[in-house]
Amino acid sequence: MSNHFSLALGIGTQNLAGDWLEVYYPNPILHPEPALVAVFAEQLGYTGGNQAIALSTSQCAALGKALRDAGFAEPGALAEQLQHSSRPLVVTLLETDDAPITTPGAYLKLHLLSHRLVKPHEVVLAGLFPLLPNVAWTNQGAIDIQELPQRQLQARLRGEDLQVFSVDKFPIMTNYVVPTGVRIADTARVRLGAYIGEGTTVMHEGFINFNAGTAGTSMVEGRISAGVFVGKGSDLGGGCSTMGTLSGGGNIVISVGEGCLIGANAGIGIPLGDRCTVEAGLYITAGLKVALLDEHDNQIGIVKARELANQPDLLFRRNSQTGAIECKTNKSAIALNEMLHAHN
C-alpha cells in the first residue's frame, strides 16, 4: 500500500440507530508503514481512501494474529485486547489529510493533536463540526441527546443517578489522553483536540479549545481559543503566562511567541512575537490603532495593530490619562534576552 496519513484502532459509542457518538483511540499512528497498512487491507478488504471500517470481535482476533505474524507487535497486542470489548469497534484509515468525512475520522484527528503527533494548524479540520454530534457526557458515557430522557428514567428505576456533566460536541481531553508532564487543575476546561506541551500548567480558570494549545512550558490562567498556539516560555522568564483571552477561529492563526505575558482580563487578536507583554485589561484587535512610542515616550507614529504582528520585544499598554493604546519597546524583555545570550 502507498504511504498513508494516519491509522488507528478504536473503541467507541453508538446511538440506537448505529450512528457514532464518539471514538477512543488508545494508540493512533501517524504515517504508518505501508506494510502495516497492507495487513489491515488484507484482513478488512480495505482498498484505499479515507474510511472508518466497523470491526467485529472475531475480526479483531484474526487481525491481532496477522499483525503479530507480520512483526507489528504493539498494534497486534491492541487488536487482541479489543476483541474482548462490549462496545463497538472501528478501524479508521486516512490515506490523505483531507477534510474529515466521518465521525470516527474527525475523532482521529482530534486524537492526533492531543497525543502531540501533530500541532495546531498542521492537520485539516475543515467541516469538523457537523461530524461531531451534540452529546450528553455522563457518568455512564456518551448518550445521544434524544435518548437521554429514557436513559435517565431507566437509571432511576434501577435506583441509580445518571449524572450529566456537560452537553457538548467536544469531550474532555483527559478522558481520552493525558499528555506527559502537564498539570491541569480543572480537566473539564480542556477539550479533546487541544495540544498541551510538556511543562504546561493550566490553572482552574484556564481554558484550552481544540486545535489550540501550548508548545512547551507555559502558565495558562485564561482562555486559549481555537486557532491559537502559544510558544514556549523562556528559561529565566518563568514561562509564557496567559491570564487573558487569546482568540483565533476561522482561518485566523494566532500564535504567541516565547516568554510572553498576556495580563489578567487582556486578550489578543494578532500574533505576538517573542517576549511581548500585553497590559492587564487590554484587548488588542487587528484593526486597533496603536500609537508608537520611542524610548523617551514620545509618539513617533500611529499604525494598526496588525502591522505589529509577530514583532518581538513589544509592550502594549493603555495611557491612563488619554485612553490611547500605546506600544513601545519592552525593555525588560530585551534585557532578559541579552542575559540569555550572554549566558549561552
Side-chain angles (χ1 to χ4, degrees), residues 165-337:
F165 302 121
S166 67
V167 179
D168 197 3
K169 285 177 170 286
F170 290 84
I172 296 171
M173 182 192 74
T174 53
N175 287 348
Y176 294 78
V177 55
V178 178
T180 58
V182 304
R183 294 169 53 208
I184 304 175
D186 185 349
T187 57
R189 298 182 65 84
V190 180
R191 280 175 156 180
L192 181 65
Y195 182 110
I196 314 297
E198 186 94 18
T200 293
T201 295
V202 184
M203 298 299 288
H204 294 81
E205 294 304 315
F207 172 83
I208 304 181
N209 212 335
F210 80 103
N211 199 32
T214 60
T217 303
S218 300
M219 174 68 71
V220 181
E221 297 183 78
R223 179 184 178 87
I224 302 181
S225 299
V228 176
F229 194 48
V230 180
K232 297 178 182 178
S234 63
D235 292 339
L236 301 179
C240 177
S241 176
T242 63
M243 294 176 281
T245 301
L246 284 66
S247 299
N251 294 320
I252 301 173
V253 179
I254 303 295
S255 60
V256 178
E258 299 183 3
C260 291
L261 171 63
I262 313 295
N265 299 315
I268 59 170
I270 64 169
L272 295 181
D274 295 341
R275 301 172 302 278
C276 287
T277 298
V278 179
E279 181 184 81
L282 180 59
Y283 203 109
I284 304 295
T285 59
L288 188 72
K289 291 187 176 181
V290 179
L292 300 180
L293 306 182
D294 63 16
E295 65 272 20
H296 303 296
D297 288 342
N298 295 318
Q299 182 174 315
I300 57 176
I302 296 178
V303 299
K304 289 186 177 180
R306 65 169 60 93
E307 297 179 47
L308 301 172
N310 296 309
Q311 298 300 310
D313 303 311
L314 298 181
L315 167 64
F316 292 91
R317 69 185 190 187
R318 185 185 297 276
N319 189 300
S320 60
Q321 294 182 318
T322 67
I325 308 303
E326 300 174 339
C327 177
K328 63 180 298 183
T329 300
N330 189 353
K331 292 184 177 179
S332 60
I334 292 177
L336 174 59
N337 191 38

Side-chain angles (χ1 to χ4, degrees), residues 98-116:
D98 292 325
I101 57 175
T102 65
T103 297
Y107 264 83
L108 175 52
K109 291 202 169 187
L110 295 177
H111 276 73
L112 292 175
L113 282 158
S114 291
H115 276 273
R116 299 179 184 153

Side-chain angles (χ1 to χ4, degrees), residues 13 22 87 135-143 151 162-163 165:
T13 306
E22 58 83 41
R87 289 192 173 188
V135 169
W137 302 98
T138 78
N139 62 324
Q140 295 183 12
I143 298 177
R151 291 285 295 271
L162 178 60
Q163 299 180 46
F165 302 121

